[in-house]
Amino acid sequence: MSDVIRVDALYRYPVKGFTPEKRDSLVVQDDGRVQGDRSLVFRFADALEPADATFPKSRGLALMTFPTLARVELTFDDGARTLRLRVDDIDVTADLSDEGRARLSEAVTAYLRSTSDAKLLEADGILPLGLLGDGMTARFQDRPRGYVSLHGAPSVSNLDAAVPAPVDDRRFRSNIVVSGAAPWEELAWRGRVRIGEVEFEVQKPIERCAAITANPDTGVRDARLLRVLTDEFGQDEPTLGILLLPVAAGGTIRVGDEVVLDA
């Protein structure tokens, strides 16, 4: 086991299923969700707005099904409450008014029509897309509890060395990336972990989906990572990273914070 494990990088995902924003700090809410994380989603035409704080990937745009979304850069301005979408010659910034949401939905649709994923838009109930969420409330996670996700950078480096395609942290869409741990060490963590001012309870490892096979720069599925994890690393299910929940209350975590096991 390593002597000192630290937070190497932090990410939030303003729009479910799209690219991350790298952050110097994250606010973990008392309910276990990261403030501003998965607070927006491009829903399919036949998907109703959820009554609770979950939204399955099958109801809207997500990397698992649309790998070319990996090329879209999305950033949310918390102060102005505007979303900027950039890819190729498309560069749209809009607020969350009805008009702004329509512009953003039209922009991502126009991009997808130019990609190898275009045929997926032709299925019944997909178009027109709609943008749900207020940009602040974390509510479109896959799981009811939300969770904070963490993985070790050495685990990703270990996996990268096993395949010819480039593999980096972005493929795994975690909120927290740590350094200083041995490869795959985090999968064995149990009990409590303190990161900065927040004490977490380790919940379970993260079983991965096809989203990790998409290259974050090209949007092409270029690595059969699910099979590599099971066949070459001997996992029963393709797994990388763990889920955490605050023990009592949330707080702020920052890049450079020490990770203390069995806190």
Side-chain angles (χ1 to χ4, degrees):
M1 184 170 292
S2 308
D3 292 330
V4 180
I5 303 171
R6 294 192 182 278
V7 174
D8 189 58
L10 295 170
Y11 299 95
R12 75 171 186 181
Y13 302 81
V15 182
K16 180 184 180 71
F18 281 74
T19 48
E21 288 181 349
K22 198 167 189 178
R23 312 284 289 186
D24 293 327
S25 64
L26 292 177
V27 175
V28 179
Q29 302 172 169
D30 293 350
D31 65 0
R33 298 168 189 269
V34 170
Q35 193 174 91
D37 190 61
R38 279 90 169 181
S39 60
L40 295 163
V41 66
F42 285 100
R43 63 151 178 84
F44 296 147
D46 64 0
L48 300 176
E49 183 161 1
D52 58 9
T54 59
F55 195 87
K57 295 185 182 76
S58 59
R59 295 182 184 175
L61 295 182
L63 270 173
M64 180 178 71
T65 310
F66 293 80
T68 57
L69 292 176
R71 297 189 56 242
V72 179
E73 181 181 352
L74 285 176
T75 53
F76 187 75
D77 185 317
D78 291 6
R81 296 192 64 199
T82 55
L83 184 66
R84 184 177 185 184
L85 185 154
R86 287 178 286 181
V87 61
D88 298 334
D89 60 350
I90 297 172
D91 189 343
V92 175
T93 300
D95 61 20
L96 299 180
S97 64
D98 290 345
E99 179 185 358
R101 291 172 193 267
R103 287 182 61 212
L104 291 160
S105 297
E106 290 163 5
V108 73
T109 300
Y111 165 68
L112 286 171
R113 288 192 189 281
S114 73
T115 72
S116 57
D117 290 334
K119 61 184 179 298
L120 299 174
L121 297 176
E122 298 171 7
D124 290 341
I126 301 299
L127 295 179
L129 300 173
L131 182 60
L132 298 180
D134 61 9
M136 301 169 61
T137 307
R139 58 175 302 211
F140 297 116
Q141 280 83 358
D142 296 335
R143 307 170 182 90
R145 293 299 305 274
Y147 297 106
V148 176
S149 53
L150 175 152
H151 75 253
S155 301
V156 173
S157 296
N158 204 225
L159 184 57
D160 176 44
V163 296
V167 175
D168 63 38
D169 294 321
R170 292 175 296 168
R171 289 189 188 246
F172 303 97
R173 308 179 58 72
S174 294
N175 298 121
I176 305 170
V177 180
V178 300
S179 60
W184 310 105
E185 177 186 323
E186 66 272 18
L187 294 182
W189 292 357
R190 300 290 185 271
R192 296 186 175 186
V193 177
R194 178 173 291 280
I195 304 175
E197 61 186 48
V198 185
E199 187 176 6
F200 294 96
E201 185 86 31
V202 178
Q203 300 298 303
K204 58 184 177 179
I206 303 172
E207 185 178 333
R208 294 298 176 170
C209 70
I212 68 173
T213 66
N215 184 304
D217 294 313
T218 66
V220 174
R221 296 194 194 279
D222 62 354
R224 303 179 73 177
L225 295 180
L226 301 177
R227 179 169 292 184
V228 170
L229 286 167
T230 54
D231 292 356
E232 297 190 28
F233 288 88
Q235 297 181 352
D236 293 332
E237 302 292 342
T239 302
L240 192 143
I242 57 176
L243 297 174
L244 307 172
L245 281 177
V247 172
T252 301
I253 55 178
R254 298 174 175 82
V255 171
D257 279 347
E258 186 174 351
V259 179
V260 181
L261 305 181
D262 297 319

